[in-house]
Amino acid sequence: MLFKECFLMAFTALYANKLRSLLTMLGIIIGVGAVIAMVSVGMGVRSNVQESIASLGSNMLIVSPGSSNRGGPRGAAGSMQTLKYEDARAIQSKIRNIDFVSPSVSGSYQIVNGNQNWNSSVQGVTPEYMDIKSLVVESGSFISTDNMNRRDRVAVIGTTVAENLFGSENPVGRNIRVNNQPFRVIGLLESKGQSSMGQDQDDVVIIPLTTAQERMLGITYVQSISVQVKDALYMDQVQEDIEVLLRQRHRIVGGKEDDFHVRNLTSLMETMTQTTTMITLLLGSVAGISLIVGGIGIMNIMMVSVTERTREIGIRKALGATFGNIMMQFLIESVVIGVIGGIIGIFIGCCLSYAIAGLGGFSTVITLAPIVVSFSFSVGIGLLFGILPARKAAKLDPIEALRYE
């Protein structure tokens, strides 16, 4: 009954000074709202980065040529012509724990349909590329092994290319010209949107690897080899096995420099995730300072409240209220301020995170963790910063308190 009475008195005191109570809660409201908004936006950015890297392919290794260095300035990365289609086949057949391997070449060409034209990236790949990159064909079909063997002039295009060349029409079965060579569109890819680096993943034309090598580029080497590993647990071992195999095939001995590089996208994802997590925690910590400021505001107002209600405290003590009774009354009052401020702050923080994401053009991720943590902090701060005013009130001498004017 005493606890319930203290709650009722706390609400009555706050309601009697509505404007002052609202201004007192403002620091807590801003603090909780800022923590939720900043953490949600930070987690949204992390999610976007993870999705963008995952769109490149899950558990993937990328083998690329090294840079040439023939007695002069070192060439650009990937300038050597050391990787062959046979290297990809050797990786697929001789290394365990691999799902798919796809060598590829690429170039930028002008794509023409009637009086419409568009410059896009043209990639020559094998059928396994679809599984490695998690591509989905919206209509038509992907390139096949038969297309590879016959060097067919067929193409699968992204939605950006389709919109610029065909508008709203279905491009499947239509003819286009790539670098002035005729190609038949056999498939349209489902949209994947932009990557975290702002690259349009739908601005692509995919053709058979053999067609690109012999009919377009006139080359016998490949520019990269994508390898999908069965499980992330095998990534390091498979990477090491690939490096050993390619050194043997390319006859690299002793301390000679490798003529290839193997990149691990899982390591890249882990690095990016750690970076974005640290940024999220930093944003949340900076926003959390507002909660401390809000707590100081609660303590300040409660000290004023103790001064204003000195005679009331004296009367309660004269009627038998103990030190603990007075402490409980003022602590509950400060905690109620923290609770109400936290609830309002949660609502504002959720709205603010969606507004920031909408204006910034990226997604936001609202989870229970920042809501629970920020609300707990608001309650804890209300309790912590209410102790000093409550002790001051509880230690008042009842006779002096009754004489206070």
Side-chain angles (χ1 to χ4, degrees):
M1 291 297 294
L2 180 62
F3 194 72
K4 179 181 178 181
E5 183 182 346
C6 288
F7 259 110
L8 292 175
M9 291 180 66
F11 278 107
T12 302
L14 293 175
Y15 187 76
N17 300 278
K18 293 184 285 294
L19 181 59
R20 187 173 74 179
S21 300
L22 179 62
L23 293 175
T24 305
M25 295 175 191
L26 196 58
I28 297 295
I29 293 172
I30 293 174
V32 172
V35 169
I36 292 174
M38 292 299 98
V39 172
S40 298
V41 170
M43 293 182 69
V45 171
R46 184 177 69 176
S47 177
N48 287 342
V49 171
Q50 290 175 338
E51 288 176 2
S52 178
I53 296 176
S55 68
L56 298 176
S58 59
N59 301 333
M60 190 167 72
L61 299 171
I62 297 179
V63 185
S64 56
S67 57
S68 58
N69 182 19
R70 298 180 178 177
R74 181 179 290 273
S79 58
M80 299 185 76
Q81 302 174 4
T82 52
L83 292 181
K84 305 293 183 181
Y85 178 72
E86 290 72 19
D87 290 329
R89 295 184 62 182
I91 291 172
Q92 179 72 73
S93 62
K94 296 183 178 181
I95 296 180
R96 295 181 300 170
N97 301 316
I98 287 179
D99 282 332
F100 303 103
V101 177
S102 176
S104 63
V105 296
S106 64
S108 181
Y109 294 100
Q110 203 71 17
I111 318 299
V112 178
N113 171 47
N115 60 353
Q116 303 296 323
N117 69 91
W118 183 253
N119 191 281
S120 182
S121 171
V122 178
Q123 298 182 356
V125 302
T126 61
E128 293 80 8
Y129 187 82
M130 179 179 177
D131 297 293
I132 291 177
K133 295 290 186 176
S134 302
L135 300 177
V136 177
V137 177
E138 184 177 304
S139 61
S141 61
F142 200 71
I143 59 175
S144 65
T145 303
D146 288 338
N147 297 142
M148 284 273 297
N149 294 336
R150 295 193 300 259
R151 282 77 170 165
D152 289 340
R153 289 192 176 98
V154 293
V156 179
I157 64 176
T159 54
T160 299
V161 177
E163 289 170 1
N164 283 279
L165 294 182
F166 299 96
S168 59
E169 298 178 11
N170 187 354
V172 177
R174 304 282 295 275
N175 292 322
I176 58 175
R177 299 188 71 83
V178 180
N179 195 32
N180 211 31
Q181 295 190 38
F183 279 77
R184 180 170 54 89
V185 178
I186 61 171
L188 173 65
L189 295 174
E190 189 176 281
S191 176
K192 297 190 73 171
Q194 288 190 345
S195 67
S196 60
M197 305 302 291
Q199 182 182 4
D200 186 358
Q201 299 180 91
D202 302 320
D203 190 5
V204 64
V205 176
I206 295 175
I207 63 176
L209 173 66
T210 51
T211 304
Q213 285 181 308
E214 299 182 19
R215 296 181 183 272
M216 299 286 294
L217 299 171
I219 59 176
T220 58
Y221 59 89
V222 298
Q223 295 169 342
S224 69
I225 301 174
S226 300
V227 180
Q228 187 179 60
V229 183
K230 289 183 181 295
D231 192 283
L233 296 173
Y234 305 126
M235 292 291 286
D236 293 337
Q237 183 61 52
V238 171
Q239 180 175 350
E240 183 178 339
D241 291 344
I242 290 174
E243 290 171 349
V244 171
L245 175 64
L246 291 182
R247 288 192 192 103
Q248 293 173 350
R249 290 184 56 80
H250 296 182
R251 296 181 174 84
I252 299 173
V253 295
K256 289 186 178 181
E257 185 178 359
D258 292 341
D259 59 3
F260 61 90
H261 297 291
V262 183
R263 288 183 294 161
N264 189 332
L265 292 190
T266 300
S267 299
L268 175 61
M269 179 177 286
E270 290 175 355
T271 301
M272 294 297 292
T273 300
Q274 290 174 359
T275 302
T276 52
T277 299
M278 290 181 63
I279 293 173
T280 301
L281 292 175
L282 177 62
L283 291 174
S285 300
V286 172
I289 296 175
S290 301
L291 284 171
I292 306 298
V293 176
I296 295 173
I298 290 176
M299 183 171 63
N300 182 46
I301 292 301
M302 291 303 297
M303 293 290 271
V304 173
S305 178
V306 170
T307 303
E308 290 179 345
R309 297 156 65 184
T310 300
R311 286 181 62 82
E312 174 196 327
I313 296 168
I315 293 171
R316 286 174 59 82
K317 282 199 167 187
L319 293 175
T322 64
F323 181 92
N325 298 149
I326 303 299
M327 279 283 292
M328 181 185 295
Q329 177 187 349
F330 283 91
L331 280 177
I332 288 177
E333 193 168 321
S334 63
V335 168
V336 167
I337 292 175
V339 169
I340 297 176
I343 293 172
I344 298 174
I346 289 171
F347 174 76
I348 291 178
C350 292
C351 295
L352 188 61
S353 62
Y354 282 119
I356 293 174
L359 293 173
F362 50 84
S363 63
T364 184
V365 177
I366 299 177
T367 60
L368 191 61
I371 294 176
V372 172
V373 170
S374 59
F375 181 75
S376 301
F377 265 90
S378 69
V379 176
I381 283 173
L383 177 63
L384 180 65
F385 283 86
I387 291 176
L388 185 60
R391 283 182 60 84
K392 178 183 177 183
K395 292 173 68 175
L396 284 175
D397 183 82
I399 297 176
E400 291 182 1
L402 288 172
R403 291 175 178 174
Y404 181 82
E405 295 181 0

